[in-house]
Amino acid sequence: MPEKNSDELICFSSPDSDSGYVEVPPTPLYHSLTTNIPHPLMTFHDFPFPPSTPLYPHASVVLNYLRSYADHFDLRKYIRFNARVISLERDEANDRWEIRLSSTPGSSLYFDSVVLCHGRFREPQFPEIAGLRDWNNSGRTSMHSIYYREPSGFRNQRVLVVGAGPSGEDISSDISRTAALVLQSCTRTRRLNNPLVEQRPRLIELRPKDGAAIYEDGTSDSDIDAVVFATGYKYSFPFFPPLHPLAFYDTTNPIPPHLFNSSCHVHPLARHIFPLHDVPPNKLAFMSLLYKVAPFPIFEDQAHAIASVFLGKHKLDEERERLLIERRFKVLEVLYNGDPRQIAKNWHVVPENDPELEDQYQYRVDLLEISGSDSFPPPPPWNREIYLQKNKLRPLWVDIERRGIADQVLEGLGKGGEHEWVEFMYNLLGGTHGTTLSSIRERNSD
C-alpha cells in the first residue's frame, strides 16, 4: 500500500462514468459543437490559441489547444489517465486524505491536500414534468442533451427541445436541418436565432397517448415524436460522502453548519472554492464550480489562489469570507423572492452586469489578491467589454463563415499578438477601436 509523498502531484482522469447514477457517455460534446465565447477570452494567460484559429472554434480545436498546453508545459507526467476515483475519505488521525482508484483495486493513495475539479457536466438534470415516466414507458422518445450527437436520427420528426441555454440553442438549430418541425420550450420569451425553430412557453406536462406537450400558459402541441432535454447538469460527488445533502439544513441559513451539496451548488465555500466547515481550507478545494464564465482563465486564477492557500502563503480571513457569503445570500434572496432552489441554482453564477454582485472579472481580481502574484496581470478592460457582447459577436462570425470568407479573414490573424484579435472583434461589433476587414486583408497581402 503506497505511502503519502508530499512532493507528489497527481491528477486522476478517467472517461468512465461515476457510480451513483445511470451510465452516461464519456463526454457531452455533440458533433457540431463550437464555443459560445470567442477564443481570445478563453486563453490561458501565457498560451494563446494559434494564429488563424476561427473566432468561435470547434470543440476539436479546443481539445487540441488543451493537449498542446499540456505538452508545452510537460504536464502529462502529472496525470494518471483511466483512473476513476472510487472513494475519497478523510483520515483525521493522520491528517491526510485516502483515495481509492478503479485502476488499483484493493490499494490506496494518500495525500496532504485535494482539489476537486471534475466540473459539472456529468450527471444530467431533468425537470419535473408530469407524464414524463409514462411518456418513456410508452415507447415515445426522450433524451437528455448529454446523449445527443447529431441530427440524422430525428429526420422528418416533430421534435421538442426543452431549454434555451447554449446547448438548447445549438441542438435546436442542428436538429432543424433534418426534422419536420422543431419546437423550443423556454422559461421566458427570447429572440431565437433560427427561423426554422418555433418558440414555446415552459413545458409542464407530456401526454403520451396523443404525443401532446402542454405548456404553462395552457397552450399545447400534439403529435410530438421526440423530446430533448437541454436542461443542464447536477453537481455530483458520489465518491465523497462527507458532502451532506441539502435536505438536512435550513435553507434560509446563509451559512449552514456543515458542507453540503444541493445538486445545484456546493455550500458554504469561500470564493466558491474553500470550505468553511468540516475540512480546513488548506486541505480541500473545489475548482470549476462556476458557470456562465470564460472558463480557462478564471480556473487558472482559481488554481493560483488554491496554491497560495495550500502552501500557506495566504491565510483566509474567515470572518470576512462569512460576511461576503451572507451579503451574497441576501442579494439573491431578494432577487429570487426567497426561493431556495433559485438561490442555489444561481449561487455559482457570477452575473454579467448586476451592480449588486461582482462579475467574473472582479472575481478574478479578488483571486489575484489571494494568490499575491505580481507577475500575473489582472484581466484587461476589453475582456469585460467583449464578453458582454458575445451573443452579438457570435452571429456576426457565423455570417462570415456562411459567406465563405473565414479563411481569407483569418489568414495570419494573431501573428502580431493579442491586439490583432481585440481590434478584429471590435471591428466586427462596429466599434471605433478596430481595423476594417479590407485592411486586414491588406495586412495579409503584405
Side-chain angles (χ1 to χ4, degrees):
M1 184 175 293
E3 288 300 319
K4 174 181 66 176
N5 184 343
S6 59
D7 296 327
E8 187 176 18
L9 173 66
I10 298 179
C11 174
F12 301 112
S13 174
S14 173
D16 296 337
S17 63
D18 291 321
S19 60
Y21 46 84
V22 177
E23 184 174 352
V24 296
T27 172
L29 304 185
Y30 37 93
H31 296 341
S32 63
L33 180 64
T34 63
T35 68
N36 63 339
I37 300 173
H39 70 73
L41 288 177
M42 294 177 56
T43 62
F44 295 111
H45 83 281
D46 53 359
F47 196 79
F49 277 79
S52 306
T53 297
L55 189 60
Y56 289 81
H58 188 267
S60 60
V61 175
V62 179
L63 176 60
N64 286 333
Y65 170 77
L66 294 174
R67 286 171 171 166
S68 297
Y69 182 90
D71 292 337
H72 179 80
F73 293 103
D74 194 22
L75 300 179
R76 290 179 187 260
K77 63 186 179 184
Y78 300 115
I79 303 172
R80 186 169 299 182
F81 293 100
N82 298 313
R84 177 167 55 88
V85 175
I86 296 174
S87 70
L88 170 64
E89 296 181 356
R90 181 78 180 143
D91 180 359
E92 293 289 355
N94 295 296
D95 189 24
R96 63 184 184 180
W97 293 99
E98 179 180 1
I99 296 178
R100 292 191 299 113
L101 305 174
S102 61
S103 57
T104 55
S107 63
S108 298
L109 295 173
Y110 299 92
F111 295 92
D112 295 305
S113 301
V114 170
V115 184
L116 299 179
C117 48
H118 62 298
R120 57 181 295 272
F121 298 101
R122 194 64 186 152
E123 183 175 357
Q125 171 73 57
F126 287 91
E128 295 181 3
I129 302 295
L132 178 57
R133 183 181 297 274
D134 292 338
W135 180 278
N136 292 333
N137 292 337
S138 72
R140 293 186 182 273
T141 299
S142 77
M143 64 185 296
H144 191 273
S145 59
I146 195 172
Y147 297 96
Y148 178 79
R149 290 298 177 266
E150 49 86 27
S152 63
F154 299 95
R155 190 172 303 280
N156 298 324
Q157 292 188 0
R158 293 166 59 88
V159 182
L160 172 65
V161 177
V162 180
S167 294
E169 292 283 343
D170 285 351
I171 291 172
S172 296
S173 182
D174 208 23
I175 292 177
S176 71
R177 297 189 291 117
T178 62
L181 173 70
V182 176
L183 310 171
Q184 186 178 2
S185 171
C186 310
T187 55
R188 59 183 181 274
T189 302
R190 56 188 297 162
R191 183 177 65 84
L192 299 181
N193 295 321
N194 190 330
L196 299 178
V197 178
E198 298 182 19
Q199 187 170 153
R200 292 293 188 267
R202 185 173 69 90
L203 177 70
I204 62 171
E205 182 181 356
L206 290 170
R207 210 163 52 206
K209 185 175 181 180
D210 55 357
I214 315 299
Y215 308 108
E216 65 178 350
D217 65 350
T219 60
S220 64
D221 290 293
S222 58
D223 298 322
I224 301 296
D225 296 302
V227 181
V228 179
F229 290 99
T231 47
Y233 297 83
K234 300 177 181 179
Y235 293 106
S236 179
F237 305 87
F239 53 84
F240 188 47
L243 275 176
H244 295 70
L246 178 64
F248 284 104
Y249 300 110
D250 176 8
T251 55
T252 63
N253 182 358
I255 304 181
H258 294 286
L259 190 65
F260 71 82
N261 173 26
S262 71
S263 81
C264 297
H265 74 324
V266 180
H267 189 67
L269 298 176
R271 312 299 172 100
H272 305 277
I273 301 174
F274 303 103
L276 288 182
H277 291 308
D278 299 336
V279 183
N282 64 337
K283 299 296 182 181
L284 178 68
F286 293 81
M287 190 171 163
S288 72
L289 297 180
L290 292 174
Y291 61 105
K292 297 186 179 180
V293 295
F296 301 155
I298 206 167
F299 299 155
E300 186 175 32
D301 289 338
Q302 286 186 332
H304 277 256
I306 291 168
S308 182
V309 171
F310 279 11
L311 294 173
K313 295 179 179 179
H314 179 90
K315 182 174 175 58
L316 290 176
D317 182 343
E318 294 195 15
E319 183 59 33
R320 178 172 183 255
E321 298 300 335
R322 289 171 184 275
L323 291 174
L324 290 173
I325 289 175
E326 289 173 351
R327 180 182 178 277
R328 181 176 184 81
F329 186 89
K330 289 177 180 177
V331 172
L332 292 177
E333 191 175 37
V334 172
L335 192 60
Y336 296 105
N337 299 314
D339 183 339
R341 181 164 180 80
Q342 287 301 317
I343 293 172
K345 286 178 66 176
N346 288 277
W347 190 263
H348 295 309
V349 177
V350 282
E352 296 178 6
N353 52 8
D354 188 332
E356 293 284 341
L357 297 166
E358 64 178 1
D359 70 5
Q360 62 179 303
Y361 297 106
Q362 182 56 51
Y363 174 77
R364 288 177 59 189
V365 171
D366 290 346
L367 290 182
L368 291 177
E369 292 180 4
I370 294 176
S371 64
S373 175
D374 296 333
S375 61
F376 208 53
W382 70 263
N383 274 206
R384 178 184 280 110
E385 294 170 4
I386 293 295
Y387 188 87
L388 290 173
Q389 297 294 323
K390 66 183 186 305
N391 292 334
K392 180 180 178 182
L393 191 60
R394 193 185 192 201
L396 296 172
W397 172 253
V398 170
D399 184 62
I400 287 177
E401 293 184 316
R402 181 188 59 80
R403 287 155 54 197
I405 62 172
D407 289 344
Q408 184 181 7
V409 168
L410 287 171
E411 186 180 353
L413 188 59
K415 282 186 176 180
E418 179 184 82
H419 72 276
E420 292 188 355
W421 288 110
V422 178
E423 291 173 352
F424 175 67
M425 291 185 290
Y426 276 120
N427 175 57
L428 281 185
L429 292 167
T432 59
H433 302 72
T435 58
T436 63
L437 290 178
S438 60
S439 68
I440 289 174
R441 288 194 285 271
E442 188 176 297
R443 177 205 66 212
N444 293 339
S445 64
D446 290 342

